[in-house]
Amino acid sequence: MTEQHQLDKLDRQILNILQDDATTPLAEIAERVHSSPATCQRRIRQMQNDGVILKQVALVNPTAVGRSLSVFVAVEVESQNPMLLDKFVRSLDKENDVVSCYEISGEHDYLLLVHAENMTSYHQLTRRIFTSDNNVRAFKSQFIMDFNKVETKITL
Amino acid sequence: MTEQHQLDKLDRQILNILQDDATTPLAEIAERVHSSPATCQRRIRQMQNDGVILKQVALVNPTAVGRSLSVFVAVEVESQNPMLLDKFVRSLDKENDVVSCYEISGEHDYLLLVHAENMTSYHQLTRRIFTSDNNVRAFKSQFIMDFNKVETKITL
DNA sequence: TATGAAACCTGATATCT
DNA sequence: AGATATCAGGTTTCATA
């Protein structure tokens, strides 16, 4: 998480590969970027230390694990008081179905991504966290009907 | 990608671990779930074949790779003609800055996540793809001011 | 039929030039 | 930075319940 030197072409090529498949062996990476395994290894470690690579994770199919209802929820808060905003955000940590929370500009304040088991459990979730007690004035559910493109990759 | 048997507790525990850190050694996984490395290995392979685990990827910090402007774009299309919808979605594939595209219910049709270098490059992107030629009636940019919680993990 | 122990072998890491 | 040696850890086999 130290200060980062500018990424060069080699770094970017390695990142493109690892963002597609983090299990790619160093020997294959080296071949594809025309370098050596040792050099690739050093670059990767450097980028991990610099916080360029945040972590390596397994991506799971929500439907296959019983979360077949996915929703973007646009939330409008009652008060912009920092303590109340913080309280709202922290209340999401306990909620397994809330995968992400972004603070956004515009008419809404937050955009959440939720993976729920079904409509009943989603409804219960909304009753639990989108309350005026929790500093929420209003919320709008945008149900995801199709995942046309869901990448985590930032192509460089 | 075959038909999937029901996931048991062991599978779910393994998924929770791999969604946090896909580099966790099998020996450590085995210890934490009170099983053996061989069994954990077999379960993981099974879930990969069943499409429960989609892939393993490196997550990259957008800011650290020069994409410091992140935007959710709500897009409303002109026509619901399937061919035109498909054409719009396919036009996004070429765009490196467009990370995901969800088809949603409500007043808008699509929600895109974009990681752009800066406002200038984002503006150029909007001129390129959010055009009436591309079946777009209107779009609304929701700039991300803070990533309060950005997970890929579906806690089981 | 699924598990755990142990052998085996690939590939990650450290050292040296 | 690249080549080599070492060692950790992933994979296969086999025995067992």
Side-chain angles (χ1 to χ4, degrees):
Chain A
M1 217 64 84
T2 349
E3 203 38 56
Q4 29 210 282
H5 352 117
Q6 196 65 12
L7 300 174
D8 66 9
K9 185 178 180 180
L10 181 59
D11 293 317
R12 290 194 296 269
Q13 288 182 111
I14 293 172
L15 285 178
N16 282 339
I17 293 171
L18 292 180
Q19 287 184 100
D20 280 329
D21 183 0
T23 68
T24 315
L26 288 170
E28 186 186 330
I29 297 175
E31 195 189 343
R32 288 168 58 185
V33 304
H34 308 293
S35 180
S36 73
T39 296
C40 292
Q41 232 252 55
R42 278 186 276 257
R43 295 303 188 98
I44 292 168
R45 172 128 33 134
Q46 183 73 49
M47 291 192 287
Q48 286 169 333
N49 292 338
D50 290 352
V52 175
I53 295 175
L54 297 169
K55 53 182 175 175
Q56 303 191 0
V57 299
L59 297 183
V60 161
N61 180 348
T63 309
V65 295
R67 308 291 182 88
S68 41
L69 184 64
S70 297
V71 193
F72 276 106
V73 193
V75 176
E76 189 189 342
V77 297
E78 296 263 18
S79 151
Q80 298 290 345
N81 176 319
M83 259 175 50
L84 292 176
L85 293 180
D86 192 55
K87 178 165 168 284
F88 169 73
V89 170
R90 275 187 292 108
S91 77
L92 305 174
D93 288 337
K94 305 186 255 308
E95 299 292 342
N96 285 346
D97 289 5
V98 179
V99 172
S100 8
C101 170
Y102 302 87
E103 193 174 341
I104 54 173
S105 69
E107 57 193 292
H108 299 100
D109 299 293
Y110 293 101
L111 192 63
L112 315 191
L113 176 57
V114 175
H115 292 300
E117 193 181 337
N118 52 41
M119 191 57 87
T120 304
S121 65
Y122 175 64
H123 181 240
Q124 287 167 350
L125 171 79
T126 64
R127 288 299 169 100
R128 201 159 55 237
I129 60 177
F130 303 139
T131 63
S132 55
D133 276 7
N134 205 17
N135 192 31
V136 173
R137 184 194 305 271
F139 71 96
K140 190 183 287 185
S141 307
Q142 299 174 299
F143 297 101
I144 299 176
M145 299 188 294
D146 194 33
F147 297 81
N148 294 97
K149 181 181 185 179
V150 184
E151 285 288 331
T152 51
K153 183 182 183 183
I154 301 176
T155 304
L156 299 170
Chain B
M1 216 65 83
T2 347
E3 203 38 55
Q4 31 210 274
H5 353 117
Q6 197 65 11
L7 300 175
D8 66 10
K9 185 179 180 180
L10 181 58
D11 294 317
R12 288 194 297 269
Q13 289 182 110
I14 293 172
L15 285 178
N16 283 338
I17 293 172
L18 291 181
Q19 286 184 101
D20 280 328
D21 183 0
T23 69
T24 315
L26 288 169
E28 185 186 331
I29 297 175
E31 195 189 343
R32 288 169 58 185
V33 304
H34 308 294
S35 180
S36 72
T39 295
C40 292
Q41 232 257 59
R42 280 186 278 255
R43 296 304 189 97
I44 292 168
R45 182 157 36 196
Q46 184 74 49
M47 291 192 284
Q48 286 169 333
N49 292 338
D50 290 351
V52 176
I53 296 175
L54 298 169
K55 52 182 176 174
Q56 303 192 1
V57 299
L59 298 183
V60 160
N61 180 349
T63 309
V65 294
R67 307 291 181 87
S68 40
L69 183 65
S70 297
V71 193
F72 275 107
V73 193
V75 175
E76 190 190 340
V77 297
E78 296 262 19
S79 152
Q80 298 289 343
N81 177 319
M83 259 176 50
L84 293 175
L85 293 179
D86 192 55
K87 178 166 167 284
F88 169 72
V89 170
R90 276 187 291 108
S91 77
L92 305 174
D93 288 337
K94 304 185 255 309
E95 299 291 341
N96 285 345
D97 289 5
V98 179
V99 172
S100 5
C101 170
Y102 303 86
E103 192 172 342
I104 55 173
S105 69
E107 57 193 291
H108 298 101
D109 300 292
Y110 293 101
L111 191 63
L112 315 191
L113 176 57
V114 175
H115 292 298
E117 194 181 336
N118 52 41
M119 191 56 87
T120 303
S121 64
Y122 176 64
H123 182 240
Q124 288 167 350
L125 171 79
T126 64
R127 290 297 170 101
R128 203 160 52 237
I129 60 177
F130 303 140
T131 64
S132 55
D133 275 6
N134 206 16
N135 193 30
V136 173
R137 184 194 304 273
F139 70 96
K140 192 184 284 183
S141 307
Q142 299 174 297
F143 297 100
I144 300 176
M145 300 188 293
D146 195 32
F147 298 81
N148 294 97
K149 180 181 184 180
V150 184
E151 285 288 332
T152 51
K153 183 181 183 184
I154 300 176
T155 304
L156 300 170

